[in-house]
């Protein structure tokens, strides 16, 4: 079965990264299917019409993203209909749900433009969009290829990623899953604390052996996203038991080599793992942040239910607020500077006292792009830790831009906390 | 002139984000050119051959990335040559430079595989790759389109981004620049506080008139990214003065219509605009965050130099810490609840007192996915404000996921602060 993807939007041709395509490609590959091609095309009717024609001729399933918005340059529905010689009608149910969407927001009548979003291709099934106004559409049709007519399926998806993802997961994935011959399973291990090339060096023997023994049925990928390294591997076959066994065996072997540098698998994040560990151990944490400026608290509160283990956080950017809010001694700041192990320790002790949590971490550093000196260069970060029993500080030199330094500092705190909790 | 991009590599079809395409699209748009399409295709000869055929038929310039590596699945050179009926030869100079590349790294003879990378299409110019072993290639050729033969240009680029970028900048950009007839300039206005379709409704007359008067020399796009709406427009022409005048005139007219809903242009963000306004007015701000959990502080400290106007922030997730750190009265929490205008006001007053800043904002709300009730549904957010003279609270009902509610709350605070500062 040939599945192809067409992504519309002029922004994709002038610099916007197409994350929708990566998402769909990745999800399909997890159920053992593959896109045969991805085409990005602008919001021009002629161009899109040509793409549709070719796609309907050569593929069994055509998926589109984008072009379902309310504005004039959203032309996917009308162009697909034109290519298939089908009519468009305004669906009353959809129109009502658009009106309700605006009512909920206190707008009494939906903007005239949004009415366009109720336009459905005749014969298509409406795929409900609970996160926005543009529904998706699924259309089964026959397309003339030379002499014979072939059965095809077209999916229209909205462009905003979260809307697209929801409809994809609820409608397209279940539909396509039934077409996927054989089994393909994918697992991801998340690693923190060692470099991408160190990871590769460590797991090379395992990769080689697995790929030699199973030829094309095992695939590996190593991908750095920020400071987290993902080891992704997939196994395909016809016997689910063997596929599962191979996956588990690989996991075991990778675990033996990468050890506690692995912090989680699949959908885990550092924040979710730390949250689970805190919850299980009935412990609470609080933060005192300088250079990370709230990112650490934002990361931990990204997880629903974090109020159970996250007490609070103080973002103390200035010396004055380090003294006033966190009780850092003025003498410490004068003698050692705001970016020092001593200050980091006092910040951690200050927030622990204030919040009454079991653990407290602090971050103070020079994120750049300015403010670096020879003694204290950009990227220098001190992390303070206290748990009532002991107070420590750690010194790091992170590389990269302001964003990189801040991201690394946040993940390093979360990873220190994880390792601490795992050793309890 | 039609320029299209073909990116090869099976990984692009199964989840890898195509950053090469975004890079090339963005560079071209900066010199007034535009890709007409981007196609991602796997490492399959038949598929790639079809793409080449279509590209040579319809485009003047075809750029490829990937498929120049040393392994069996790198087939770009041979497939392009086959499509054009041209021979391939092993270039001695290239071969020597590959050997030198390995010598430099202490390897005496280049791996046999890498010899393949000296294969050049007959008639093509070699584009030196100083960062890797695979050179780029540039080929001018004539292609038969029906009766007439057309002059075309093909560029082959390696897949690794830094190698691709270097060759693109050194060879392709200068070449294409000479073809960029006239000038194309782009401007973006950022809007907050009204919906995407409301923006379109408001600017429609301007768009229509500009596009009618200048036909294809003016282009518009409206794009929502999160809760911020971008109005992007570009003007092309041969006379820079006229292009500039048209851009400025459009800016003026859009400003007249969208008024203070426009918060910035081009590279501005809400945080950078707010930062500039605070700095210019010599004012400082502090935050008390509950449901945004540090995101507000993280947003404002994303801007280098924010220590000049950002005092500090307290992330008070629990009732206990609202009382202890922010001096919210227990009675207020009991009578009105943590998510209420009253609590929001006291949180703002608490942080203002603590930090001594000129302005203070607070956020308390229900971000979801749990915790909503009939009276206080998910998405209900109160924002508190105080500036020593007066204390106010604002009530909002945001839609969407936990991430959406938090993003909207952060941007709403920044926008309230911006409007306040602009009216000073």
């Amino acid at each position: 079965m040939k599945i192809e993807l067409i992504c519309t939007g002029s922004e994709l041709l002038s610099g916007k990264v197409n994350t929708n395509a990566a998402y769909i490609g990745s999800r399909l590959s997890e159920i053992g299917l593959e896109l045969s091609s991805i085409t990005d095309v602008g919001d021009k009717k002629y161009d899109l019409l040509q793409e549709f024609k070719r796609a309907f001729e050569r593929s069994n399933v055509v998926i589109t993203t984008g072009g379902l918005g309310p504005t004039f340059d959203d032309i996917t529905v009308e162009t697909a209909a034109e290519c298939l010689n089908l009519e468009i009608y305004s669906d009353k149910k959809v129109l009502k749900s658009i009106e309700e969407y605006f009512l909920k927001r206190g707008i009494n009548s939906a903007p005239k433009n949004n009415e366009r979003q109720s336009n459905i291709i005749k014969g298509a099934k409406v795929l409900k969009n609970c996160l926005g106004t543009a529904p998706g559409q699924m259309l089964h049709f026959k397309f003339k290829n030379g002499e014979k007519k072939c059965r095809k399926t077209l999916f229209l998806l909205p462009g905003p990623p979260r809307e697209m993802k929801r409809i994809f997961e609820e409608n397209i994935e279940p539909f396509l899953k039934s077409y996927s011959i054989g089994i393909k399973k994918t697992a991801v291990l998340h690693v923190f604390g060692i470099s991408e090339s160190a990871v590769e060096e460590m797991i090379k023997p395992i990769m080689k052996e697995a790929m030699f023994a199973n030829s094309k049925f095992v695939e590996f990928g190593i991908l750095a996203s920020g400071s987290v390294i993902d080891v992704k591997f997939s196994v395909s076959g016809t016997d689910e038991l063997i596929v599962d066994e191979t996956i588990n065996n690989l996991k075991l072997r990778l675990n033996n080599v990468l050890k506690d540098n692995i912090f989680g698998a699949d959908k885990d994040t550092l924040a979710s793992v730390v949250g689970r560990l805190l919850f299980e151990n009935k412990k609470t944490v609080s933060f005192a942040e300088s250079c990370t400026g709230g990112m650490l608290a934002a990361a931990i509160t990204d997880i629903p239910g974090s109020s159970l283990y996250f007490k609070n956080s103080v973002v103390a950017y200035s010396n004055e607020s380090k003294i006033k809010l966190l009780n850092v001694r003025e003498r410490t700041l004068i003698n050692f500077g705001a970016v020092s192990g001593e200050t980091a320790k006092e910040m951690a002790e200050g927030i622990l006292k204030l919040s009454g949590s079991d653990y407290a971490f602090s971050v103070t550093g020079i994120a750049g792009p300015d403010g670096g000196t020879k003694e204290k260069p950009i990227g220098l970060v001190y992390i303070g830790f206290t748990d009532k029993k002991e107070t420590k500080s750690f010194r790091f030199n992170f590389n990269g831009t302001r964003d990189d330094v801040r991201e690394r500092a946040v993940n390093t705190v979360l990873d220190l906390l994880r390792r601490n909790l795992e050793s309890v």
Side-chain angles (χ1 to χ4, degrees), chain A residues 154-183:
Chain A
L154 169 68
F155 289 100
L156 307 182
L157 291 175
R162 58 191 195 102
E163 300 175 27
M164 183 281 295
K165 285 178 190 176
R166 178 74 79 93
I167 301 179
F168 183 87
E169 280 161 34
E170 283 176 358
N171 297 279
I172 305 193
E173 210 170 87
F175 175 84
L176 291 176
K177 228 172 189 168
S178 63
Y179 282 88
S180 139
I181 308 162
I183 302 137

Coordinates of all heavy atoms in Angstrom, one line a residue, chain A residues 154-183:
Chain A
L154 N -8.7 9.4 0.9 CA -8.1 10.8 1.2 C -8.4 11.2 2.6 O -9.5 11.2 3.0 CB -8.7 11.8 0.1 CG -8.3 13.2 0.4 CD1 -6.9 13.5 0.2 CD2 -9.2 14.1 -0.6
F155 N -7.4 11.7 3.3 CA -7.6 12.3 4.6 C -7.1 13.7 4.5 O -6.0 14.0 4.1 CB -6.7 11.6 5.6 CG -7.1 10.2 6.0 CD1 -6.5 9.1 5.5 CD2 -8.1 10.0 6.9 CE1 -6.9 7.8 5.8 CE2 -8.5 8.7 7.3 CZ -7.9 7.6 6.7
L156 N -8.0 14.6 5.0 CA -7.6 16.1 5.1 C -7.5 16.4 6.6 O -8.4 16.2 7.4 CB -8.7 17.0 4.5 CG -9.1 16.7 3.0 CD1 -10.2 17.7 2.6 CD2 -8.0 16.7 2.1
L157 N -6.3 16.9 6.9 CA -6.1 17.3 8.3 C -5.7 18.7 8.5 O -5.1 19.3 7.6 CB -4.9 16.4 8.9 CG -5.1 14.9 9.0 CD1 -3.8 14.3 9.4 CD2 -6.1 14.7 10.1
P158 N -6.1 19.4 9.6 CA -5.8 20.8 9.8 C -4.3 20.9 10.1 O -3.6 19.9 10.4 CB -6.5 21.1 11.1 CG -6.9 19.9 11.8 CD -6.9 18.8 10.7
G159 N -3.7 22.1 9.9 CA -2.3 22.3 10.0 C -1.8 22.5 11.4 O -0.6 22.0 11.7
P160 N -2.5 23.1 12.3 CA -2.0 23.3 13.7 C -1.6 21.9 14.3 O -2.5 21.1 14.4 CB -3.1 24.0 14.4 CG -3.9 24.7 13.4 CD -3.8 23.8 12.2
P161 N -0.4 21.7 14.7 CA 0.1 20.4 15.1 C -0.8 19.7 16.1 O -1.1 18.5 15.9 CB 1.5 20.7 15.7 CG 1.9 21.8 14.9 CD 0.7 22.7 14.7
R162 N -1.3 20.4 17.2 CA -2.0 19.6 18.2 C -3.4 19.2 17.7 O -3.8 18.1 18.0 CB -2.2 20.4 19.5 CG -2.8 21.7 19.3 CD -2.8 22.6 20.5 NE -3.8 23.7 20.3 CZ -5.0 23.7 20.8 NH1 -5.3 22.8 21.7 NH2 -5.8 24.7 20.5
E163 N -4.0 20.0 16.8 CA -5.3 19.6 16.2 C -5.0 18.4 15.2 O -5.8 17.4 15.2 CB -5.9 20.7 15.4 CG -6.2 21.9 16.3 CD -6.7 23.1 15.5 OE1 -7.4 23.0 14.5 OE2 -6.5 24.3 16.0
M164 N -4.0 18.5 14.4 CA -3.6 17.5 13.5 C -3.4 16.2 14.2 O -3.9 15.1 13.8 CB -2.4 17.9 12.7 CG -1.9 17.0 11.6 SD -0.9 15.6 12.2 CE 0.5 16.5 12.9
K165 N -2.6 16.2 15.2 CA -2.2 15.0 16.0 C -3.4 14.3 16.5 O -3.5 13.1 16.4 CB -1.2 15.4 17.1 CG 0.2 15.7 16.7 CD 1.1 16.1 17.8 CE 2.4 16.6 17.3 NZ 3.3 17.1 18.4
R166 N -4.3 15.1 17.2 CA -5.4 14.4 17.8 C -6.3 13.7 16.8 O -6.6 12.5 17.0 CB -6.3 15.5 18.5 CG -7.5 15.0 19.2 CD -7.3 14.3 20.5 NE -7.0 15.2 21.6 CZ -7.9 15.7 22.4 NH1 -9.2 15.3 22.3 NH2 -7.6 16.5 23.4
I167 N -6.5 14.3 15.6 CA -7.4 13.7 14.6 C -6.6 12.5 14.0 O -7.2 11.4 13.7 CB -7.8 14.7 13.5 CG1 -8.6 15.8 14.2 CG2 -8.6 14.0 12.5 CD1 -9.0 16.9 13.2
F168 N -5.3 12.6 13.8 CA -4.5 11.5 13.3 C -4.6 10.3 14.2 O -4.9 9.2 13.7 CB -3.1 12.0 13.1 CG -2.2 10.9 12.5 CD1 -2.1 10.8 11.1 CD2 -1.5 10.0 13.3 CE1 -1.3 9.8 10.5 CE2 -0.8 9.0 12.7 CZ -0.6 8.9 11.3
E169 N -4.4 10.5 15.5 CA -4.4 9.4 16.4 C -5.8 8.8 16.6 O -5.9 7.6 16.7 CB -3.9 9.9 17.8 CG -2.4 10.0 17.8 CD -1.9 10.9 18.9 OE1 -2.5 10.9 20.0 OE2 -0.8 11.5 18.7
E170 N -6.8 9.6 16.5 CA -8.2 9.1 16.8 C -8.8 8.4 15.5 O -9.6 7.6 15.6 CB -9.1 10.2 17.3 CG -8.8 10.5 18.7 CD -9.7 11.7 19.2 OE1 -10.4 12.3 18.4 OE2 -9.6 12.0 20.4
N171 N -8.3 8.9 14.3 CA -9.0 8.4 13.1 C -8.1 7.7 12.1 O -8.5 6.6 11.6 CB -9.7 9.6 12.4 CG -10.8 10.2 13.3 OD1 -11.9 9.7 13.4 ND2 -10.4 11.3 14.0
I172 N -7.0 8.3 11.8 CA -6.2 7.8 10.7 C -5.4 6.5 11.2 O -5.4 5.5 10.5 CB -5.2 8.9 10.2 CG1 -6.1 10.1 9.8 CG2 -4.5 8.4 9.0 CD1 -5.4 11.1 9.0
E173 N -4.8 6.6 12.3 CA -4.0 5.5 12.8 C -4.8 4.2 12.9 O -4.3 3.2 12.4 CB -3.3 5.9 14.1 CG -2.0 5.3 14.3 CD -1.3 5.8 15.5 OE1 -1.5 5.4 16.6 OE2 -0.5 6.8 15.3
P174 N -6.0 4.3 13.6 CA -6.7 3.0 13.7 C -7.1 2.5 12.3 O -7.1 1.3 12.0 CB -8.0 3.5 14.4 CG -7.6 4.7 15.1 CD -6.6 5.4 14.3
F175 N -7.4 3.4 11.3 CA -7.8 3.0 10.0 C -6.6 2.3 9.3 O -6.7 1.2 8.7 CB -8.2 4.2 9.2 CG -8.5 3.9 7.7 CD1 -9.8 3.4 7.3 CD2 -7.6 4.1 6.8 CE1 -10.0 3.1 6.0 CE2 -7.8 3.8 5.4 CZ -9.0 3.3 5.1
L176 N -5.4 2.9 9.4 CA -4.3 2.4 8.6 C -3.7 1.2 9.3 O -3.1 0.3 8.7 CB -3.2 3.5 8.5 CG -3.5 4.6 7.6 CD1 -2.5 5.7 7.6 CD2 -3.8 4.1 6.1
K177 N -3.9 1.1 10.6 CA -3.3 -0.1 11.4 C -3.9 -1.4 10.8 O -3.1 -2.4 10.7 CB -3.8 0.1 12.8 CG -2.6 -0.2 13.8 CD -3.0 0.1 15.2 CE -1.8 0.1 16.2 NZ -2.2 0.7 17.5
S178 N -5.1 -1.4 10.4 CA -5.7 -2.6 9.9 C -5.1 -3.0 8.6 O -5.2 -4.1 8.1 CB -7.2 -2.4 9.7 OG -7.4 -1.4 8.7
Y179 N -4.3 -2.1 7.9 CA -3.7 -2.4 6.6 C -2.2 -2.8 6.8 O -1.6 -3.3 5.9 CB -3.7 -1.2 5.7 CG -5.0 -1.0 5.1 CD1 -6.0 -0.2 5.7 CD2 -5.3 -1.6 3.8 CE1 -7.2 0.0 5.1 CE2 -6.5 -1.4 3.2 CZ -7.5 -0.6 3.9 OH -8.7 -0.5 3.3
S180 N -1.7 -2.6 8.0 CA -0.3 -2.9 8.3 C -0.1 -4.4 8.3 O -0.5 -5.1 9.2 CB 0.1 -2.1 9.5 OG 0.9 -2.9 10.3
I181 N 0.7 -4.9 7.4 CA 1.0 -6.4 7.3 C 2.2 -6.6 8.2 O 3.2 -6.0 8.1 CB 1.3 -6.8 5.9 CG1 0.2 -6.4 4.9 CG2 1.5 -8.3 5.9 CD1 0.7 -6.4 3.5
G182 N 2.0 -7.6 9.1 CA 3.1 -7.9 10.0 C 3.2 -7.0 11.1 O 2.3 -6.1 11.3
I183 N 4.2 -7.1 11.9 CA 4.3 -6.3 13.1 C 5.6 -5.5 13.1 O 6.7 -6.0 12.7 CB 4.3 -7.2 14.4 CG1 3.0 -8.0 14.4 CG2 4.5 -6.4 15.6 CD1 3.3 -9.5 14.7

